[in-house]
Amino acid sequence: MIIIGEKINGSIPSVGKAIASKDADFIQNLAKIQSEAGATYIDVCASVEDSIELETMKWLIDLVQEVTDTPIAVDSPNVNVCAEALKFCKKPGLVNSVSLEGDKADLIFSIIADTKWECVALLCDDTGIPQSAVKRLEVFTGIMEKAKKHNIDPSRLHIDPLVEMLCTSEDGIKMVTDVIAEIKSQYPTIHVTGAASNISFNLPVRRLINQGFVVLAMNAGMDSVILDPLNRDMMGLIFATEGLLGMDEYCMEYIGAYREGIFGPIK
Amino acid sequence: MIIIGEKINGSIPSVGKAIASKDADFIQNLAKIQSEAGATYIDVCASVEDSIELETMKWLIDLVQEVTDTPIAVDSPNVNVCAEALKFCKKPGLVNSVSLEGDKADLIFSIIADTKWECVALLCDDTGIPQSAVKRLEVFTGIMEKAKKHNIDPSRLHIDPLVEMLCTSEDGIKMVTDVIAEIKSQYPTIHVTGAASNISFNLPVRRLINQGFVVLAMNAGMDSVILDPLNRDMMGLIFATEGLLGMDEYCMEYIGAYREGIFGPIK
């Protein structure tokens, strides 16, 4: 499983405060503990006002790179910020994110075309988030056409089918799992990702909804996830699910991760 | 989800001790707390030597019935003990269990034929536990032939596909989920059950393996489970999974169970 560690995000109050007060130690600690917990990428999202977003991204990226080699997910709703900020990274990472909105996909795909950068692509367009599997898959087809045009191999894409809150759904997550399964059947080497916690907005004991969601999404084909890698139960459940789904012969990875202290009681 | 509460079992050391010392309060408390936690059936298994098994079952069943109306799952490896012990029950419950071993199924099916008793049937026969999905489904076919002969409606059967430990599996639980899905496709009203914790023998942090298993088995069609209903996280995860699978519109059951205190922080 590809783990995109979500903790360095200015929209989290403690992180926003650390950014405002230039608390480098706080940020660097978040980078270190997420790397140690098994993050594949460290997401960096400034969530500050536009006028200082790029310089803040540079400050954050520089800090992270001083303490870990784990590649960075350059995260901004402004695709021009992503395009500039990825230049601050010492090694290829992940652009988070593009979609079919405006010229986002063309802009980023043209920049990363001849690199090893990967990219998250959300299944939405200028009309918003499509409300049926068929329409979401039409957006997917549009993204794949642009990827082909820029010669981006499917294995460099992390498609986010966009999970909405369960509490307003009449039929659970069937639409999302259908979309995931169809995407993986069309492009077996593509990645499918998503935020593990959007599903549980407005419900009590959110971790239980999130846990069930991740297991079912992995069963459908999700192989990348945006979450807090310090959530030891979620990390352990992901390793457990890989074993249950036959992706971890004799549970060797599960047992290895336990021995490394990724999950289970803190020693 | 049908919850078969597993706590009154003499093979659990504290329960074995309570049975040996005739500690009625201990047994009655186990019955009460499981009912309050949402058990659909209270399993009663003496696990004592043969010569005193039936009288012990009577003592246990009488105790349980003094404190709760929740029906009983009469549990013994000896089908003759089940056949006699179900007579001690004031209302129809669940026989746990028969299989294609010897004449077990014929004996119990003939006794419960004209009653409302339900029955757990394990997918094994005189040769043991078949090691392929095809062979396990052959045992299933044999059980359904006997059920038909005795006019037992499929909705009165809880088929246990027999879950073995994950740590010795090369391909995870695919065989079991395939068997579950095939059984439910042949008989949509049949129940599929299983012990939630067999899967995790010999692995660390067993609860994570058990949790992932229950979610995936429910996705395949499992709608009955043998577990400890005092395990609040597991109970909550089951309600969460029903919501995610579209079996709980707007999560009303999930929210209701939370408000009743079935899961979440103890108030």
Side-chain angles (χ1 to χ4, degrees):
Chain A
M1 195 76 166
I2 295 162
I3 306 290
I4 304 166
E6 71 186 4
K7 291 186 85 74
I8 301 182
N9 190 316
S11 69
I12 300 168
S14 59
V15 181
K17 207 174 135 197
I19 291 171
S21 64
K22 296 277 178 196
D23 185 344
D25 287 349
F26 186 93
I27 301 298
Q28 290 190 318
N29 183 54
L30 289 181
K32 273 190 284 191
I33 58 179
Q34 290 186 98
S35 292
E36 287 163 11
T40 319
Y41 295 95
I42 306 291
D43 196 86
V44 172
C45 181
S47 279
V48 291
E49 58 183 72
D50 292 356
S51 61
I52 56 164
E53 187 179 3
L54 190 60
E55 65 191 77
T56 305
M57 286 296 279
K58 181 169 191 320
W59 180 71
L60 291 167
I61 290 168
D62 287 346
L63 286 177
V64 171
Q65 293 184 124
E66 278 174 22
V67 293
T68 177
D69 286 334
T70 304
I72 289 169
V74 174
D75 186 352
S76 170
N78 182 340
V79 79
N80 294 302
V81 169
C82 288
E84 290 302 312
L86 63 82
K87 297 175 190 165
F88 307 140
C89 297
K90 291 180 192 165
K91 59 161 74 171
L94 188 63
V95 178
N96 188 9
S97 58
V98 305
S99 68
L100 269 196
E101 225 184 312
D103 62 354
K104 282 184 170 189
D106 273 322
L107 177 70
I108 294 295
F109 287 173
S110 68
I111 291 172
I112 68 169
D114 297 318
T115 73
K116 290 188 170 170
W117 277 80
E118 303 194 0
C119 185
V120 174
L122 315 179
L123 297 189
C124 59
D125 60 16
D126 291 318
T127 67
I129 301 176
Q131 286 307 306
S132 73
V134 171
K135 294 224 159 128
R136 244 174 252 205
L137 287 167
E138 283 172 13
V139 174
F140 173 66
T141 301
I143 287 169
M144 296 314 289
E145 281 166 5
K146 288 184 188 292
K148 194 174 176 190
K149 188 175 82 180
H150 294 284
N151 214 14
I152 309 279
D153 191 81
S155 64
R156 291 170 58 199
L157 295 175
H158 298 240
I159 305 298
D160 183 341
L162 292 174
V163 177
E164 294 173 286
M165 45 189 161
L166 182 65
C167 62
T168 57
S169 171
E170 285 177 34
D171 61 351
I173 59 167
K174 185 171 184 333
M175 196 261 269
V176 167
T177 48
D178 285 352
V179 168
I180 294 173
E182 177 60 25
I183 287 170
K184 288 294 274 193
S185 95
Q186 287 184 27
Y187 296 93
T189 64
I190 211 165
H191 301 295
V192 175
T193 195
S197 61
N198 290 352
I199 188 77
S200 60
F201 277 130
N202 285 331
L203 286 170
V205 203
R206 293 183 60 176
R207 67 186 162 84
L208 297 173
I209 302 280
N210 299 345
Q211 286 171 351
F213 169 73
V214 166
V215 175
L216 294 171
M218 287 176 71
N219 182 58
M222 188 172 81
D223 65 345
S224 168
V225 65
I226 302 161
L227 51 65
D228 175 1
L230 277 293
N231 180 337
R232 299 169 68 81
D233 275 2
M234 182 62 97
M235 291 293 281
L237 185 61
I238 287 170
F239 280 99
T241 303
E242 288 182 333
L244 292 160
L245 292 176
M247 299 153 71
D248 178 13
E249 209 174 342
Y250 305 120
C251 302
M252 296 307 286
E253 298 287 336
Y254 179 83
I255 294 165
Y258 167 72
R259 288 188 179 152
E260 280 172 39
I262 301 291
F263 63 89
I266 295 172
K267 285 156 195 168
Chain B
M1 195 75 167
I2 296 163
I3 306 290
I4 305 167
E6 71 185 5
K7 291 184 85 75
I8 302 182
N9 190 314
S11 69
I12 300 168
S14 59
V15 181
K17 206 175 136 197
I19 290 172
S21 64
K22 296 277 176 198
D23 185 345
D25 287 349
F26 186 92
I27 301 297
Q28 290 190 319
N29 183 54
L30 289 181
K32 272 190 285 192
I33 58 178
Q34 289 187 97
S35 292
E36 287 162 10
T40 319
Y41 295 96
I42 305 291
D43 195 87
V44 173
C45 180
S47 277
V48 292
E49 60 183 69
D50 292 355
S51 60
I52 56 165
E53 187 179 4
L54 190 59
E55 67 190 75
T56 305
M57 286 296 280
K58 182 168 190 322
W59 179 72
L60 291 167
I61 289 168
D62 287 347
L63 285 177
V64 171
Q65 292 184 124
E66 278 173 21
V67 292
T68 177
D69 287 333
T70 304
I72 288 169
V74 174
D75 186 353
S76 170
N78 182 341
V79 79
N80 295 301
V81 169
C82 288
E84 289 303 311
L86 63 83
K87 297 175 190 164
F88 307 139
C89 297
K90 291 180 190 163
K91 60 161 75 170
L94 187 63
V95 178
N96 188 9
S97 58
V98 305
S99 69
L100 268 197
E101 225 184 312
D103 62 353
K104 282 184 169 189
D106 273 321
L107 177 71
I108 294 295
F109 287 173
S110 68
I111 290 171
I112 68 169
D114 296 319
T115 72
K116 289 187 171 172
W117 277 80
E118 303 194 1
C119 186
V120 174
L122 316 179
L123 297 190
C124 59
D125 60 15
D126 291 317
T127 66
I129 301 176
Q131 287 306 306
S132 74
V134 171
K135 294 222 159 128
R136 245 175 251 205
L137 288 167
E138 283 173 13
V139 174
F140 173 65
T141 301
I143 287 169
M144 297 314 289
E145 281 167 6
K146 287 183 189 293
K148 194 174 178 191
K149 188 174 83 180
H150 296 284
N151 214 13
I152 309 279
D153 192 80
S155 65
R156 291 170 58 199
L157 295 176
H158 298 240
I159 305 299
D160 183 341
L162 293 173
V163 177
E164 296 173 285
M165 45 189 160
L166 182 65
C167 62
T168 57
S169 170
E170 284 176 35
D171 61 351
I173 59 167
K174 186 173 185 330
M175 196 260 269
V176 166
T177 49
D178 285 351
V179 167
I180 294 173
E182 176 60 27
I183 287 171
K184 289 293 273 194
S185 97
Q186 287 184 25
Y187 297 93
T189 64
I190 212 165
H191 301 295
V192 175
T193 195
S197 61
N198 289 353
I199 188 78
S200 60
F201 277 129
N202 284 332
L203 286 170
V205 203
R206 292 184 59 176
R207 67 186 163 81
L208 297 172
I209 302 280
N210 298 344
Q211 286 171 351
F213 169 72
V214 167
V215 175
L216 293 171
M218 288 176 71
N219 182 58
M222 189 172 81
D223 64 344
S224 168
V225 65
I226 302 161
L227 52 65
D228 175 2
L230 277 292
N231 181 338
R232 299 168 68 82
D233 274 1
M234 182 63 97
M235 291 293 279
L237 184 62
I238 287 170
F239 280 98
T241 303
E242 288 181 333
L244 291 160
L245 292 176
M247 300 153 71
D248 179 12
E249 210 173 341
Y250 305 121
C251 302
M252 296 307 285
E253 299 286 336
Y254 178 84
I255 293 165
Y258 167 73
R259 286 188 179 150
E260 281 172 37
I262 301 291
F263 63 88
I266 295 172
K267 285 155 193 169

